[in-house]
Amino acid sequence: MTTIKDVAKHANVSTTVVSKALNGYTDVSEETRKKVLRAVEELNYSPNMLAKNLKQKVTKSIALIFSNFEYSNGKDGVLFKMMTGIFEAASHYNYEVLLYTRSLSEQQDKSYWQFCKEHKVSGAVITGLKTTDPYFLEIVDSNFPCVVIDADITGTHTGSIMTDNVEAAKCAVKHLINHGHRHIGMVNGHNYAVVSKERQEGYRQALEQSGITYDPSLVVNGDYTEEYAYELTETYLHAHPEMTAVFFASDLMAIGFMSRCRELHIHVPEKLSIVGFDDIVLSSYTTPRLTTIHQDFQHMAFMAFEQVIRILEKKEAGRHQRISYQLVDRESVAML
């Protein structure tokens, strides 16, 4: 593993200069600082942040980092539920929580460990990462305690947690099959999320286990937004007039789709049955009320925070955890 001595040798400076350059001391010239940072990048050096934090006595603060944060993220209430779980855990374990949002451009400008070091936190819980984000691959090799929500990555200091998406999606689709539906479409999110791949896999398995041929053309992406799903509704239904049901990878997309169906005079569930995923608050207020898969976001966040504490205090290795789900049967599915 690369050490600070390796960086110093590569940059032709002392270890003291490397330390000062990385910690923002003003008695290091800009030219020297750039030389050190270039050496850090070329050697892929990642300092042991846990040891540094212990030395600096900043071990009682955990960062909650929202990646790719946008205004629309608050529409489904998921982030609020996660924050509730995080603050509940922080109170239980007597830790402080620092809340940060990170855009893709900010991730590209500053590495994950640099960001956490600057803010002197002991560990982090991260949500909203896409598989293409700079942080995604960097986190696994980091020495900094971290747990990622809705991912499947592990390392010595890295854990992850998510719902059992494959089984949950299978449950949703089999609910439609048990109501007599054989021509079932799927509106997925996007191709850069682990949960998208798993929910599509669950959809495929449910069909094939019931003797129904999996047709990839029946799967379209709605980018996890109400607006995008609304826009694709008419074209999607026109291309597949045989469909009697659709499974959605999120409730927001199902709600946008149902709104456009009303405008097109396509009645749910009489003409088209729909199952969502997430069980957001809005799903119980739609007309008809949405049948969906319930995810316990608050519990998921609590467990993520708890795992960070175990990595920090008990020196446990990171691990991947799956939590259970529940089908909430409401009014948007009809028997054929």
Side-chain angles (χ1 to χ4, degrees):
M1 187 176 74
T2 304
T3 67
I4 192 171
K5 291 182 179 179
D6 297 324
V7 174
K9 183 178 180 180
H10 193 76
N12 197 29
V13 297
S14 69
T15 56
T16 300
V17 170
V18 173
S19 179
K20 286 185 174 183
L22 294 178
N23 285 282
Y25 281 70
T26 57
D27 59 345
V28 177
S29 70
E30 189 58 28
E31 181 180 351
T32 300
R33 190 185 312 280
K34 287 181 179 178
K35 186 163 62 172
V36 169
L37 292 177
R38 188 161 54 247
V40 166
E41 183 176 355
E42 289 173 355
L43 296 177
N44 194 27
Y45 171 62
S46 179
N48 189 328
M49 294 304 303
L50 179 56
K52 281 181 172 288
N53 282 339
L54 288 170
K55 185 177 180 180
Q56 295 173 7
K57 298 180 181 179
V58 291
T59 60
K60 300 300 286 187
S61 59
I62 302 294
L64 173 57
I65 303 175
F66 290 123
S67 179
N68 293 302
F69 182 83
E70 298 174 357
Y71 175 75
S72 60
N73 292 148
K75 203 168 189 178
D76 54 18
V78 170
L79 295 188
F80 176 76
K81 291 179 181 178
M82 287 187 178
M83 288 172 61
T84 302
I86 291 292
F87 284 107
E88 181 185 351
S91 176
H92 179 79
Y93 288 100
N94 195 30
Y95 271 72
E96 292 183 348
V97 177
L98 300 176
L99 177 63
Y100 298 106
T101 60
R102 303 294 290 163
S103 67
L104 184 59
S105 61
E106 288 172 320
Q107 290 181 41
Q108 292 169 334
D109 291 341
K110 187 173 295 183
S111 74
Y112 165 70
W113 71 262
Q114 284 177 320
F115 172 78
C116 291
K117 181 178 78 69
E118 285 182 6
H119 293 85
K120 293 182 171 63
V121 293
S122 309
V125 174
I126 300 184
T127 184
L129 278 181
K130 295 180 179 178
T131 55
T132 53
D133 289 350
Y135 281 4
F136 193 87
L137 294 177
E138 182 188 354
I139 283 171
V140 181
D141 298 322
S142 172
N143 289 327
F144 190 85
C146 170
V147 175
V148 185
I149 295 176
D150 276 345
D152 187 358
I153 55 178
T154 55
T156 304
H157 297 89
T158 305
S160 53
I161 184 168
M162 65 198 307
T163 297
D164 193 340
N165 289 280
V166 174
E167 291 301 316
K170 283 170 64 176
C171 176
V173 176
K174 285 187 175 181
H175 182 69
L176 292 168
I177 294 170
N178 291 338
H179 280 72
H181 297 277
R182 305 284 295 179
H183 301 287
I184 303 169
M186 178 180 180
V187 177
N188 207 348
H190 52 67
N191 297 327
Y192 311 110
V194 175
V195 296
S196 297
K197 296 176 182 177
E198 292 198 350
R199 289 171 196 175
Q200 185 169 342
E201 175 61 18
Y203 163 80
R204 183 192 66 79
Q205 288 186 21
L207 294 177
E208 293 184 347
Q209 288 174 9
S210 300
I212 302 171
T213 301
Y214 168 68
D215 181 358
S217 71
L218 288 173
V219 181
V220 294
N221 285 343
D223 202 35
Y224 288 114
T225 69
E226 180 182 357
E227 295 77 13
Y228 200 100
Y230 174 94
E231 293 297 333
L232 66 79
T233 304
E234 188 170 4
T235 302
Y236 182 52
L237 292 177
H238 180 74
H240 303 284
E242 74 283 2
M243 282 192 310
T244 62
V246 184
F247 164 56
F248 289 81
S250 80
D251 288 347
L252 271 185
M253 292 191 296
I255 289 170
F257 195 93
M258 289 169 67
S259 177
R260 184 59 179 143
C261 281
R262 279 194 298 274
E263 295 173 356
L264 296 171
H265 304 291
I266 298 171
H267 299 291
V268 176
E270 293 83 1
K271 297 291 289 185
L272 188 72
S273 289
I274 286 177
V275 176
F277 203 110
D278 287 335
D279 192 25
I280 64 176
V281 173
L282 292 175
S283 65
S284 61
Y285 291 96
T286 57
T287 304
R289 294 185 306 142
L290 183 63
T291 294
T292 185
I293 294 293
H294 174 77
Q295 292 198 88
D296 193 339
F297 296 105
Q298 185 172 332
H299 182 57
M300 194 186 303
F302 187 100
M303 291 180 65
F305 193 100
E306 199 170 47
Q307 187 179 164
V308 173
I309 302 303
R310 286 201 300 271
I311 295 171
L312 269 169
E313 297 185 352
K314 298 184 179 180
K315 309 299 187 295
E316 292 183 6
R319 60 196 179 98
H320 181 61
Q321 295 175 277
R322 298 268 180 174
I323 69 169
S324 60
Y325 59 88
Q326 180 183 356
L327 177 72
V328 182
D329 188 7
R330 294 194 177 106
E331 302 166 347
S332 60
V333 176
M335 183 73 71
L336 279 188

